[in-house]
Amino acid sequence: MTRTPRLPPLVVETRDIEPVDDLLSLTDPHNPLAWLRRGEGIVGSGAAVVTIGGPGSPPLSRPIAAIWRDLAANARVSDPVQLPGTGLVAFGALGFDPASTAPPFLVVPQTITGVHDGRAWVTTIRHESDPEPPQPTSVPHGPHWSATLGPGSLDPDGYQHAVRSGIEAITAGEVEKVVLARDLVGTIPAGADLRRLVRALATSYPDTWTFAVDGLIGASPETLITVDRGSVTARVLAGTTARGADADEDAAAAHALEASRKDLDEHRFAVTSVVDALAPLTRDLVAPGEPHLLELPNLWHLATDVSGRLSNGASALDLVTVLHPTAAVAGTPTDAALDVIRRLEPFDRGRYAGPVGWIDANGDGEWAIALRCAQIGAEPQRDAARYSDTIPVIAHAGAGIVAASDPEAELLETRVKFRPIVDALA
C-alpha cells in the first residue's frame, strides 16, 4: 500500500494590510489561484508549500479530509484577523468521478491575500526551517487573447443521441434521472495571461463563485457547501431555462420554469440527495419545501438553500466528500447514474462538475460545483508539435435528463450553459 508522506509542520502568520484594488494582479498570470465573489475573496501566490494529491501523485492512502486535518492540527497559526479565508488555507479541486484520471488535489501557496467586508490581509505560510516568503507583488496583466473552440468527442447530434439513450435507461428503470454532458475542445495561445479569463468571468457574473485552481477556471452559480464557525449552508440548483429577450418574455420564462413538472422533479431529486448526504454529519438541518427562482444574467434556475449545524467533528472537506456527486450533476440513484454516464459520455469529465474551493485549519471553507468552467492544459499532448505555440483547453456543459426530457431542448440548455465560459474565452 502506498503511504502518504508525513508532512512537516507549517508556520502560518496572517496580518492586516492596506486595501487591495486588484487581487488578481497578485497571483500567477499562468497558474492563478483564486476564489472570488462580488469583488471579495482570496488569491494565492508564490511556490506551493504543500501539495496533496494531484496529477502524477501516487494514490492517497487515507481520505484527503483526514490528511488535511492532521496537517492543520500540527500547524502553528497566528491569525488575529479571524475572517473567512484567513490563517492556514488550501485551495482544492476534486474529480467528478471516483474512477476519473483527475485525482483529489489540495495546494497551500506561500502567500494568500484576501479581502472581506472592507478589510484586507496577507497570510504567509512556510515550513519551520524556511525563511519568510517574499511578499506578493502586483504583476501587470498581459495582452488580450482569445481561444479557438469547436465540438469535442460528443457533437450536437451525438449529444441528442446520448439523451435519447438516457431516456431509454430511465424508461428501463435503471435510473430516475441522469445528468449528461457534452464537450468543447480548443486551444489558447501559449503564454496567455489566464487572469484575464478569471477577470472576465468575475466581472460578467459577480454573484457566482469565480475560481482558478490548477488550470481549472470558471464561474459557478452552485455552492456545494459553505461552513462558517460551524454553520452549514448549501445551495441546490436543478431546473434551468434561458432568460427572455424582453421583460414580458423573461417573466413568462420564469413562470414556466416554476410550473414545469419536469424541472420540479429534477430539482426534488437534487435536494433529496443533498439532505440525505448531509444528515449524518449535521444537526438542525432545514430545507424549504419549495424552490425559489435564482436570477443570473443569462439563466433562471430553480434553487433551494439548505442550512444546518456541523456535528460529529466534521469539516467542510468531510461534507464535500459525502455530498459529491449530487443528483444535480450525476443523477438518481447516484451509483446507477454514474454507470449510465460512463456508458454514454465518450470522455472523462475530469474536474468538470466536481468540487472546487478552499478549506482552512478550523475545517471551515467554501466549495462550489465546478460548472461554467474550462480546464486549461487538460488534453493529453499526444502530438507535441501541435501544441508548440498553443495550450489545449476543454469545456463541458450538461443537462439533467428525466423521463419527460426532449433531446433538442436539452441540447439548447447546454448551449445556454456554455455561454459564460465561451464568451469569456472569445
Side-chain angles (χ1 to χ4, degrees), residues 84-116:
T86 61
L88 176 61
V89 167
F91 295 82
L94 284 64
F96 166 76
D97 187 335
S100 171
T101 57
F105 172 75
L106 290 178
V107 62
V108 180
Q110 284 182 315
T111 62
I112 298 171
T113 309
V115 174
H116 182 79

Side-chain angles (χ1 to χ4, degrees), residues 130-409:
D130 291 344
E132 183 84 12
Q135 294 298 302
T137 57
S138 178
V139 177
H141 290 264
H144 288 278
W145 52 267
S146 61
T148 61
L149 286 175
S153 304
L154 202 57
D155 64 15
D157 288 341
Y159 183 72
Q160 291 186 78
H161 177 74
V163 171
R164 285 190 286 270
S165 298
I167 295 170
E168 289 173 3
I170 294 168
T171 303
E174 285 187 67
V175 289
E176 296 176 81
K177 171 192 171 181
V178 62
V179 180
L180 295 176
R182 65 185 182 99
D183 57 333
L184 297 176
V185 298
T187 60
I188 64 173
D193 188 336
L194 300 183
R195 298 173 303 175
R196 286 201 172 275
L197 176 58
V198 182
R199 170 170 282 175
L201 291 166
T203 301
S204 297
Y205 299 90
D207 290 327
T208 67
W209 298 110
T210 303
F211 55 86
V213 180
D214 197 34
L216 181 70
I217 299 175
S220 177
E222 186 155 1
T223 307
L224 182 60
I225 200 74
T226 298
V227 180
D228 183 14
R229 295 174 176 83
S231 176
V232 176
T233 56
R235 170 164 286 179
V236 182
L237 303 184
T240 305
T241 193
R243 299 290 302 273
D246 55 41
D248 290 340
E249 186 178 313
D250 197 39
H255 177 72
L257 180 62
E258 284 185 303
S260 167
R261 179 47 53 193
K262 176 261 181 189
D263 289 290
L264 289 169
D265 285 346
E266 180 186 343
H267 190 83
R268 177 171 52 83
F269 291 141
V271 173
T272 299
S273 76
V274 168
V275 171
D276 289 348
L278 287 178
L281 296 175
T282 59
R283 54 186 171 84
D284 304 328
L285 201 60
V286 176
E290 298 294 332
H292 65 272
L293 283 171
L294 177 66
E295 179 183 357
L296 294 175
N298 64 322
L299 292 172
W300 288 106
H301 283 297
L302 292 179
T304 293
D305 293 322
V306 179
S307 61
R309 300 286 302 176
L310 273 183
S311 63
N312 301 326
S315 72
L317 203 46
D318 288 305
L319 299 189
V320 164
T321 302
V322 299
L323 274 175
H324 180 75
T326 68
V329 292
T332 306
T334 302
D335 289 343
L338 287 173
D339 287 340
V340 174
I341 290 169
R342 293 166 187 149
R343 186 170 79 233
L344 298 182
E345 292 182 359
F347 47 74
D348 182 339
R349 290 189 183 184
R351 294 167 177 161
Y352 163 70
V356 60
W358 61 268
I359 186 167
D360 72 9
N362 299 316
D364 289 351
E366 294 174 324
W367 291 79
I369 298 176
L371 304 172
R372 320 298 191 263
C373 62
Q375 179 72 53
I376 311 298
E379 186 178 297
Q381 297 190 17
R382 291 180 291 271
D383 180 2
R386 176 186 172 196
Y387 293 114
S388 60
D389 297 316
T390 59
I391 302 169
V393 57
I394 184 167
H396 297 86
I401 312 305
V402 294
S405 288
D406 172 70
E408 185 175 358

